[in-house]
């Protein structure tokens, strides 16, 4: 057995614990608001500032309006950024000619489909985890998650973590470059995850005794400053990962990653800040006021329904006496009819109007773009109007959606490609591909999608407007570029594969070949017609038939 001596009092373990405490100070100013957001808008989260956030006392919200508005907005983000029904990512290169080369375009489409297959529910939990991530983003303006490949189950593990147990740091450019995750595990959970040999003896002993006592564990992921590309083991990885147990400050696992396995997308980040803010922060003041309004209304209604009893002294009503409908209260009235017990005169009116509540409700819904979201898809609204509404919503989200794509979706797509590549699941590029071709991740941001949709609609409308004029003046057709028309509409539909549209050069060659075939066919037809005419003339000369159709003879 090699228990407590393995990694005990390891400096890397001490550093992980120290960095968690140090980095947590950067978010202390956010935690009070985050706790209120969790209490009023996202009740399943919370516990910020607690050692074990799962043991927090959950206060029940009194209005479902903030929760519904938040849920609707999170669903909208999910549908417009990483919707499983739309190709939200892809592969490309800076060389447009290479992208349009049919063998390479088909290769990129095939690898893209393979990546999307790895996100499917049969191989990954990405889409449920993504919706949780968008829920945290919409509420707190931040989200935390990680992924890795489980070789035993042959599945990709995609997990969204509670913000209460994750702290981060950023580099000079504001990019997340260090993550410390804190978690509480029972001894049996720790043994199943890390094995018996590398855990402290105390933890293994408690696991054998089936004790439920929990200990704190940390995962510290940071850049490998001693990175060597060809070095075996964690030293040859760009990112180091240290798993630590608080018992004896034990280092229990050291791993390396080629890419940062943690994701920390943010909604809106001010300069110099690490943590962002989201629509939940905007909706928080109105949510607090609405909570107070609902609480005051409920207490007033309860007070009106069960008013306070006014009595002369304890002799009128026994101590701890109760009043029940249909019951009898002795001593509550005198012989002369004088009442010794009366109800407080209160009608339940506290001065709050429905208009005041409705104003706060609209304020909350506007913070989550609720009005725009609810208009889309309503009965009586045409497809064109729905498109206009959808584009308006995309423009409103565009600055934030681009950041989410950059820090979450695009990074997720790129890392998944690299993971599949290392597992031999990516096909080699076709022969003839330049050796210096640089493969990049292509994603369709909200702003780009709205702009492309606008451009496509403008092109369609333009062709519809000039159609009648072209019937009057057919020569106008020479002013139109059919190739550009097809390419604009193709680019506006990201679901269409690139191989569907052949390059202009290939199309021009096909047109030229068709023209040559038509010329040859026409020449053959003329030759055939000319030969038939000559045969008719020869036959006419042989029979001596002339213009009058009769043979000549003397009579």
């Amino acid at each position: 057995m090699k228990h407590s001596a393995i990694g005990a009092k390891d400096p890397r373990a001490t550093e992980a614990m120290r960095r968690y405490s140090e980095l947590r100070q950067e978010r202390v100013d956010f935690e009070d608001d985050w706790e209120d957001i969790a209490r009023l808008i996202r009740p399943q989260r919370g516990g910020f500032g607690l050692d074990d956030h799962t043991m927090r006392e959950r206060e029940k919200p009194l209005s479902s309006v903030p929760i519904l508005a938040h849920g609707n907005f999170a669903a909208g983000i999910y549908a417009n950024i990483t919707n499983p029904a739309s190709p939200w990512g892809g592969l490309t290169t800076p060389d447009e000619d290479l992208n349009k080369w049919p063998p390479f375009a088909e290769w990129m489409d095939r690898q893209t489909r393979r990546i999307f297959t790895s996100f499917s529910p049969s191989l990954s939990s990405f889409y449920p985890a993504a919706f949780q991530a968008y829920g945290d983003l919409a509420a707190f303006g931040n989200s935390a998650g990680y992924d890795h490949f489980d070789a035993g189950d042959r599945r990709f593990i995609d997990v969204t973590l509670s913000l209460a147990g994750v702290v981060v740091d950023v580099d000079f450019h504001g990019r997340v470059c260090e993550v410390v995750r804190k978690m509480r595990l029972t001894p049996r959970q720790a043994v199943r995850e890390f094995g018996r040999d590398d855990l402290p003896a105390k933890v293994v002993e408690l696991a054998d005794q089936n004790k439920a006592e929990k200990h704190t564990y940390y995962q510290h992921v940071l850049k490998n400053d001693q990175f060597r590309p060809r070095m075996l083991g964690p030293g040859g990885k760009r990112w180091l990962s240290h798993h630590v147990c608080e018992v004896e400050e034990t280092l229990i696992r050291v791993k390396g990653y080629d890419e940062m396995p943690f994701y920390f997308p943010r909604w809106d980040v001010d300069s110099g800040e690490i943590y962002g803010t989201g629509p939940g922060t905007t909706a928080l003041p109105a949510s607090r006021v609405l909570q107070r309004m609902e609480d005051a209304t409920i207490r007033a209604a309860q007070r009106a329904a069960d008013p306070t009893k006014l009595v002369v002294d304890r002799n009128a009503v026994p101590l701890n006496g109760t009043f029940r409908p249909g019951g009898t209260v002795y001593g509550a009235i005198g012989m002369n009819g004088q009442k010794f017990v009366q109800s407080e005169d209160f009608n339940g009116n506290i001065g709050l109007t429905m208009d005041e509540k409705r104003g706060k409700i609209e304020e909350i819904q506007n913070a989550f773009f609720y009005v725009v979201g609810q208009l889309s898809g309503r009965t009586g609204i045409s497809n064109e109007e729905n498109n206009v509404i959808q584009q308006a919503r995309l423009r409103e989200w565009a600055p934030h959606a681009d950041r989410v794509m950059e820090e979450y979706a695009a990074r997720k797509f790129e890392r998944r490609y690299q993971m599949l590549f290392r597992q031999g699941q990516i096909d080699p590029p076709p022969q003839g591909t330049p050796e210096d071709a640089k493969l990049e991740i292509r994603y369709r941001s909200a702003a780009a999608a709205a702009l492309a949709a606008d451009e496509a609609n403008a092109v369609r409308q333009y062709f519809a407007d000039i159609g009648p004029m072209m019937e009057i003046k057919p020569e106008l057709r020479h002013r139109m570029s059919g190739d550009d028309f097809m390419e604009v509409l193709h680019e506006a539909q990201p679901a269409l594969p690139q191989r569907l549209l052949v390059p202009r050069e290939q199309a021009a060659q096909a047109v030229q070949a068709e023209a040559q075939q038509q010329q040859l066919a026409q020449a053959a037809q003329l030759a055939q017609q000319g030969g038939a005419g000559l045969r008719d003339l020869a036959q006419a000369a042989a029979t001596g038939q002339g213009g009058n159709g009769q043979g000549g003879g003397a009579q």
Side-chain angles (χ1 to χ4, degrees):
M1 301 293 289
K2 53 173 185 175
H3 293 301
S4 59
I6 297 299
K9 298 297 181 181
D10 192 287
R12 291 166 290 183
T14 305
E15 175 67 6
M17 299 169 65
R18 185 191 69 82
R19 284 296 285 165
Y20 182 87
S21 300
E22 184 177 41
L23 293 177
R24 186 174 169 271
Q25 296 302 315
E26 296 288 342
R27 74 173 203 193
V28 168
D29 293 338
F30 294 87
E31 289 182 353
D32 287 342
D33 284 345
W34 286 0
E35 201 64 55
D36 279 351
I37 291 173
R39 179 171 59 92
L40 301 175
I41 299 175
R42 191 159 169 76
Q44 60 268 50
R45 294 300 196 193
F48 305 100
L50 299 178
D51 290 336
D52 187 357
H53 63 86
T54 61
M55 301 301 293
R56 69 186 180 91
E57 181 180 354
R58 299 190 178 185
E59 182 178 345
K60 307 300 182 183
L62 301 177
S63 174
S64 59
V65 169
I67 301 173
L68 289 173
H70 162 267
N72 179 79
F73 181 62
I77 303 174
Y78 176 85
N80 285 281
I81 294 184
T82 53
N83 186 347
S86 63
W88 46 270
L91 302 174
T92 187
T93 70
D95 188 345
E96 290 297 330
D97 293 334
L98 179 61
N99 294 335
K100 296 177 181 179
W101 182 43
F104 191 77
E106 184 177 352
W107 176 84
M108 288 194 299
D109 289 340
R110 188 167 60 252
Q111 310 318 308
T112 298
R113 290 195 301 271
R114 190 162 295 176
I115 295 172
F116 277 116
T117 300
S118 74
F119 288 123
S120 64
S122 60
L123 295 175
S124 168
S125 57
F126 167 70
Y127 287 109
F131 183 70
Q132 292 181 352
Y134 299 142
D136 285 345
L137 272 172
F140 308 106
N142 305 271
S143 180
Y146 80 97
D147 61 7
H148 73 272
F149 181 71
D150 189 330
D153 292 339
R154 303 296 299 174
R155 283 179 57 87
F156 293 93
I157 306 300
D158 295 276
V159 179
T160 295
L161 305 170
S162 171
L163 289 169
V166 178
V167 295
V168 300
D169 196 9
V170 296
D171 61 14
F172 177 79
H173 303 287
R175 300 170 299 187
V176 174
C177 64
E178 185 178 6
V179 178
V180 187
R181 177 192 178 191
K182 181 180 179 181
M183 64 204 103
R184 301 272 292 173
L185 301 176
T186 65
R188 295 187 67 180
Q189 289 175 326
V191 169
R192 289 172 179 171
E193 175 63 25
F194 303 109
R196 301 171 62 90
D197 293 342
D198 294 334
L199 287 171
K202 176 182 177 181
V203 174
V204 176
E205 181 181 354
L206 292 173
D208 292 337
Q209 297 173 3
N210 199 23
K211 298 293 185 179
E213 176 185 350
K214 289 186 177 182
H215 299 102
T216 301
Y217 294 80
Y218 299 86
Q219 183 181 7
H220 186 197
V221 177
L222 68 162
K223 280 189 174 182
N224 183 4
D225 294 330
Q226 306 299 324
F227 168 64
R228 297 180 182 178
R230 288 181 170 78
M231 185 177 181
L232 297 177
K237 304 294 184 180
R238 295 182 180 275
W239 300 89
L240 292 177
S241 172
H242 301 149
H243 280 85
V244 174
C245 178
E246 67 172 345
V247 178
E248 301 179 14
E249 297 183 6
T250 306
L251 181 67
I252 56 180
R253 177 183 290 173
V254 178
K255 293 182 64 176
Y257 294 94
D258 293 288
E259 305 89 27
M260 165 64 88
F262 279 89
Y263 303 84
F264 201 84
R266 296 160 293 175
W267 186 256
D268 185 16
V269 185
D270 290 332
S271 300
E273 295 286 349
I274 295 178
Y275 298 95
T277 57
T281 305
T282 306
L284 182 57
S287 299
R288 286 170 172 155
V289 174
L290 183 62
Q291 177 82 353
R292 296 285 186 90
M293 287 180 170
E294 294 292 350
D295 180 60
T297 302
I298 291 173
R299 287 189 290 107
Q302 181 181 16
R303 184 178 174 187
D306 188 12
T308 303
K309 304 300 179 182
L310 307 178
V311 300
V312 177
D313 53 34
R314 292 185 178 182
N315 294 326
V317 179
L319 189 64
N320 298 327
T322 59
F323 297 88
R324 292 186 296 271
T328 301
V329 179
Y330 293 97
I333 191 170
M335 296 296 296
N336 57 356
Q338 182 181 3
K339 295 180 180 180
F340 298 121
V341 178
Q342 294 184 5
S343 296
E344 180 188 16
D345 186 12
F346 180 72
N347 59 9
N349 184 9
I350 55 175
L352 281 176
T353 65
M354 288 302 300
D355 287 340
E356 290 175 313
K357 286 188 178 181
R358 192 176 296 112
K360 292 303 174 184
I361 291 173
E362 291 178 357
E363 188 177 339
I364 294 169
Q365 293 176 339
N366 288 336
F368 288 109
F369 307 94
Y370 190 83
V371 176
V372 175
Q374 290 301 299
L375 286 176
S376 181
R378 284 183 54 182
T379 303
I381 296 181
S382 66
N383 291 334
E384 183 177 353
E385 290 172 322
N386 273 330
N387 290 334
V388 172
I389 293 170
Q390 182 74 357
Q391 293 168 27
R393 179 165 59 178
L394 289 175
R395 291 190 192 92
E396 292 175 343
W397 295 352
H400 312 293
D402 286 346
R403 176 184 286 276
V404 176
M405 290 295 295
E406 177 188 355
E407 297 184 342
Y408 183 67
R411 274 201 57 229
K412 179 75 72 170
F413 198 92
E414 180 180 4
R415 174 162 159 78
R416 188 58 54 89
Y417 171 84
Q418 297 294 346
M419 295 167 75
L420 290 172
F421 181 82
R422 288 191 289 269
Q423 296 168 25
Q425 299 299 312
I426 298 297
D427 298 332
Q431 289 186 349
T433 303
E435 295 183 358
D436 58 348
K438 183 179 180 182
L439 198 63
E440 297 177 348
I441 301 301
R442 169 184 56 81
Y443 66 92
R444 179 59 63 94
S445 67
L451 181 61
D454 278 349
E455 186 178 12
N457 289 333
V459 169
R460 293 191 189 97
Q461 186 62 45
Y462 180 68
F463 270 79
D465 291 342
I466 66 173
M469 181 59 67
M470 292 178 65
E471 294 180 0
I472 301 174
K473 299 185 65 176
E475 63 271 16
L476 290 178
R477 69 183 186 276
H478 298 295
R479 298 289 306 278
M480 308 304 300
S481 173
D483 290 332
D484 289 323
F485 176 75
M486 292 190 64
E487 290 177 0
V488 168
L489 296 185
H490 183 274
E491 292 172 359
Q493 299 293 332
L496 296 177
Q498 179 62 41
R499 66 180 185 276
L500 185 65
L501 191 65
V502 300
R504 294 191 182 193
E505 293 78 8
Q506 182 178 346
Q509 293 174 2
V511 171
Q512 185 178 1
E514 289 179 358
Q516 291 176 352
Q517 291 177 358
Q518 290 177 358
Q519 291 175 358
L520 291 175
Q522 291 174 357
Q525 184 178 3
L526 290 174
Q528 183 179 6
Q529 292 175 353
L534 291 175
R535 286 197 304 271
D536 293 342
L537 290 175
Q539 291 175 359
T543 57
Q545 293 178 349
N548 56 2
Q550 300 291 332
Q555 293 187 4

